[in-house]
Amino acid sequence: MTTVIGDALFTLIAGAKPYLSEVDPPSGAAPMQFQFIRGSTTLVSSVELPAPFKITSPASGTTLAITARTLPVRLTATAPATKHETTTFNCTDVNGNTASGTPGLKVVPGSASADSTGVSYSLDIGAAVDGLSFSTTHPRGAVARCDVVLRAIVEAQGQADPQFESAQIFAQQIRSVSFAMR
């Protein structure tokens, strides 16, 4: 049984360390059920793992203009990714100052569109780069380059057993691509 790291199913129980299960990716959305057994009591929670998807744009290894303010994204999913907050930026300005961070990325309002092959939308990467805190070893200059790892997360919330007070169950499909801005 091969486990694909990008296809992780996260089960979060409030107030406790999260339970994590990795499963082989199904070909489509898949219902999942979890049974927690406490003595003679079985507590059942369920969630539907979202269907697998690919990031078709930007392609891994792509180089974008450093002046870009928005990033066009294309997924083979039926809706935009629900999270991008673990996207990593490693940037350098023209004078050699550096900045790294994982700023949350917001979808540009009105940019989402869908067709039979997937969904397209734009992310506000300009605000993310502007929000990075650069070292100031040298006088601060314009941003010259960024290496970016974009992580798109499609997430679904499930139904926790009613006896789990304040519990939440989530399932995620996670994909990533690396690209450069020069």
Side-chain angles (χ1 to χ4, degrees):
M1 179 165 142
T2 303
T3 301
V4 177
I5 292 173
D7 292 303
L9 172 69
F10 291 91
T11 307
L12 301 178
I13 308 232
K17 186 175 180 181
Y19 290 94
L20 171 65
S21 297
E22 293 183 6
V23 297
D24 284 332
S27 60
M32 301 289 203
Q33 188 178 75
F34 301 91
Q35 296 182 356
F36 296 95
I37 300 170
R38 292 182 174 168
S40 62
T41 303
T42 300
L43 305 175
V44 179
S45 300
S46 61
V47 66
E48 185 167 300
L49 180 65
F53 69 94
K54 294 179 183 174
I55 301 173
T56 58
S57 177
S60 238
T62 300
T63 299
L64 304 172
I66 192 66
T67 56
R69 302 296 298 169
T70 60
L71 173 67
V73 176
R74 176 87 179 153
L75 307 178
T76 61
T78 57
T82 52
K83 297 180 181 181
H84 298 94
E85 70 265 354
T86 57
T87 296
T88 304
F89 286 79
N90 291 305
C91 301
T92 305
D93 73 10
V94 294
N95 294 325
N97 297 306
T98 59
S100 296
T102 55
L105 295 176
K106 297 188 186 305
V107 174
V108 175
S111 68
S113 65
D115 59 29
S116 63
T117 62
V119 64
S120 297
Y121 55 98
S122 293
L123 294 173
D124 186 355
I125 58 170
V129 172
D130 293 346
L132 292 174
S133 184
F134 279 79
S135 64
T136 53
T137 306
H138 310 286
R140 181 70 171 87
V143 178
R145 63 179 288 150
C146 291
D147 294 310
V148 182
V149 178
L150 173 68
R151 288 178 44 120
I153 303 169
V154 175
E155 180 177 81
Q157 185 169 1
Q159 182 64 45
D161 189 286
Q163 291 191 27
F164 282 122
E165 293 182 21
S166 304
Q168 296 180 331
I169 305 292
F170 295 93
Q172 299 178 331
Q173 291 276 2
I174 304 169
R175 301 292 182 273
S176 63
V177 294
S178 299
F179 62 92
M181 298 175 67
R182 305 284 189 265

